[in-house]
Amino acid sequence: MIRSTLYNKFFFLLTFFISFSCFYSQKKFTLVLDAGHGGSDIGANRNYGDIGSVQEKNVTLGIVLKLGRMLEKNKEYKVIYTRKIDEYPSLTYRTDLANRSKADLFISVHVNSSPSKSATAQGTETFVQGPNQNRANLDVAKAENDVIFLDEKDKENFASYNPSSPESLIALKIQQSKYLEASLIIGGLVEDNFVKKDKRMSRGVKQENLHVLRMNAMPSILIETGFVNNYDDAHYISTEEGQQAIAESIYNAIVSYKKLVDRNVKEPEPEKPAEQPLKNDFRILLMSTPNKYRDEDPALKGLKYILPIKENGFYKYYYGTTNFASVRDTNLKTAKDAGFRNSMAISFVPNQTLGTGYYTLEIYSGKDKLDSKSTIMKTIPDIIRNKESGIFYYTYGKYRSLEDAIKAQKDFENRGITNTVIEKKLK
């Protein structure tokens, strides 16, 4: 659980995470309250002989409406609901609503469930956006993300998103990092109240990759209020008294969080001058190896925009290219986060011609000689073939600069010849 030591640690960072202009314009503190699931998506549910049917969509709506009524009594707050009735707003709608409203805080309320019919797992837990850090949380992520396929717009928006891709997770981490610390603080306040006020068991504050959080441009939390398949939890969250207590704990956390934010408001710092480009380009060297990898090879750990350059029999794999220091540093962090711990930024002089030697394109390499009727041989009739240590190498062209070689490489890609490698020949 996030305790007071964490609050102190990140106390001074809140002004970085929350826009100063919101407070100086005397804008109300805007919250988006999201009752999870709804409509045909009932969410987690269980039937009990004495309690009856406990459905997530009803529990979450009950808690959110009670929380909203408490907040609306205070003129400092503006409350926006993703739903106030039994309907299903798409995940895209929920996040778009929060971003359009320029909300200061997004709170999504849910009910937990474990695979077994009757759970030994019990208690509350709060999630903030982050890459998958604990495999035990994966089932929760999948359960919440499954509803993404209920809406056509969600299908369109998230069709290319691969939660197991390192590059996807890294992109999410960068996108959400400036709100993460503030989200941890509000999440910790919520869980503390559940324990201290309501005397409930807390499973803590955790990071997880949940779609309903990942696109929010504000501190955001998803609260699991209890396990529907745990009898004690189900009884508690299905009663008016239990829902009211949960709403009060969340309300008190919001009030405490806002006090922290208000106490830290300062004059905005002068706008920094625009970043100036560097003289040289920078690429991130991931590794140097005798092995040649195709674009989608697992050795590249899901990273894209890879430029392999062969030199002295070794393939050097470079990630990204930029002449801005901030982008260079971000690319280096991305590479290290993906697992390339020894990666480094390498400087390239733009349009530099080689004093001696040249660049060429390695079109193909393999143990088998290309058939004269193959696409490569038909497309490039004047290709050069060499055989070294039992491997056939097919190369084409001589280019004085790296940029010329890259341009030729892209021309071949447009003609359907992919996975070529630029080779630097010094003789």
Side-chain angles (χ1 to χ4, degrees), residues 288-301:
S288 179
T289 173
N291 300 320
K292 181 179 180 180
Y293 299 116
R294 297 178 67 86
D295 290 344
E296 303 301 325
D297 195 286
L300 301 178
K301 302 184 186 299

Side-chain angles (χ1 to χ4, degrees), residues 156-171:
E156 177 183 342
N157 286 357
F158 298 121
S160 61
Y161 176 70
N162 177 7
S164 63
S165 162
E167 191 166 54
S168 292
L169 295 178
I170 292 164

Side-chain angles (χ1 to χ4, degrees), residues 117-356:
K117 290 185 177 180
S118 60
T120 55
Q122 185 178 10
T124 65
E125 54 190 349
T126 296
F127 289 91
V128 300
Q129 179 57 39
N132 186 18
Q133 309 224 340
N134 185 340
R135 296 299 299 178
N137 295 338
L138 186 59
D139 288 339
V140 176
K142 289 179 178 178
E144 298 303 345
N145 291 342
D146 279 347
V147 299
I148 205 167
F149 300 108
L150 297 176
D151 180 85
E152 288 301 321
K153 191 171 182 181
D154 284 336
K155 288 181 183 178
E156 177 183 342
N157 286 357
F158 298 121
S160 61
Y161 176 70
N162 177 7
S164 63
S165 162
E167 191 166 54
S168 292
L169 295 178
I170 292 164
L172 295 182
K173 189 164 106 176
I174 293 171
Q175 180 191 40
Q176 293 290 308
S177 61
K178 64 178 179 176
Y179 306 115
L180 174 58
E181 312 300 352
S183 300
L184 286 168
I185 289 173
I186 179 64
L189 290 167
V190 169
E191 290 297 321
D192 265 357
N193 286 343
F194 286 152
V195 172
K196 294 175 181 177
K197 184 183 77 67
D198 301 334
K199 310 302 179 187
R200 300 190 67 200
M201 187 182 78
S202 169
R203 296 161 64 88
V205 180
K206 304 173 183 179
Q207 285 183 260
E208 193 51 83
N209 175 26
L210 302 171
H211 284 300
V212 77
L213 299 181
R214 76 181 180 91
M215 294 300 289
N216 290 340
M218 70 215 61
S220 305
I221 59 174
L222 184 149
I223 304 169
E224 297 284 4
T225 56
F227 283 81
V228 73
N229 54 328
N230 180 285
Y231 178 82
D232 291 336
D233 273 6
H235 185 273
Y236 184 83
I237 64 178
S238 63
T239 64
E240 288 291 319
E241 294 79 7
Q243 292 177 14
Q244 182 63 34
I246 293 170
E248 288 175 0
S249 287
I250 301 172
Y251 172 82
N252 292 339
I254 292 169
V255 171
S256 298
Y257 172 80
K258 185 176 182 299
K259 286 180 180 178
L260 286 173
V261 173
D262 290 346
R263 201 184 310 164
N264 245 335
V265 175
K266 300 177 183 177
E267 290 289 342
E269 296 179 2
E271 185 175 343
K272 293 182 180 179
E275 183 179 8
Q276 297 301 310
L278 303 170
K279 292 172 60 176
N280 292 345
D281 293 332
F282 284 86
R283 293 178 170 87
I284 308 304
L285 176 60
L286 302 177
M287 58 178 166
S288 179
T289 173
N291 300 320
K292 181 179 180 180
Y293 299 116
R294 297 178 67 86
D295 290 344
E296 303 301 325
D297 195 286
L300 301 178
K301 302 184 186 299
L303 294 180
K304 300 185 184 299
Y305 313 111
I306 303 293
L307 176 68
I309 300 178
K310 187 178 181 181
E311 188 173 352
N312 295 326
F314 282 83
Y315 295 91
K316 297 181 178 181
Y317 292 86
Y318 294 92
Y319 169 66
T321 179
T322 182
N323 62 346
F324 286 97
S326 62
V327 179
R328 174 200 63 197
D329 296 343
T330 297
N331 287 347
L332 181 58
K333 185 177 186 303
T334 298
K336 289 182 180 295
D337 285 347
F340 295 100
R341 301 300 182 188
N342 297 319
S343 57
M344 63 184 72
I346 303 296
S347 172
F348 286 78
V349 178
N351 298 302
Q352 183 182 43
T353 57
L354 294 175
T356 58

Side-chain angles (χ1 to χ4, degrees), residues 50-68:
D50 55 341
I51 304 174
S53 177
V54 182
Q55 297 184 348
E56 180 173 9
K57 68 172 184 176
N58 297 330
V59 172
T60 60
L61 185 59
I63 294 170
V64 160
L65 293 179
K66 291 175 176 62
L67 172 60

Side-chain angles (χ1 to χ4, degrees), residues 67-77 79 251:
L67 172 60
R69 283 194 290 269
M70 285 187 281
L71 290 166
E72 286 167 342
K73 292 177 181 178
N74 189 325
K75 294 182 179 180
E76 295 182 358
Y77 297 102
V79 180
Y251 172 82

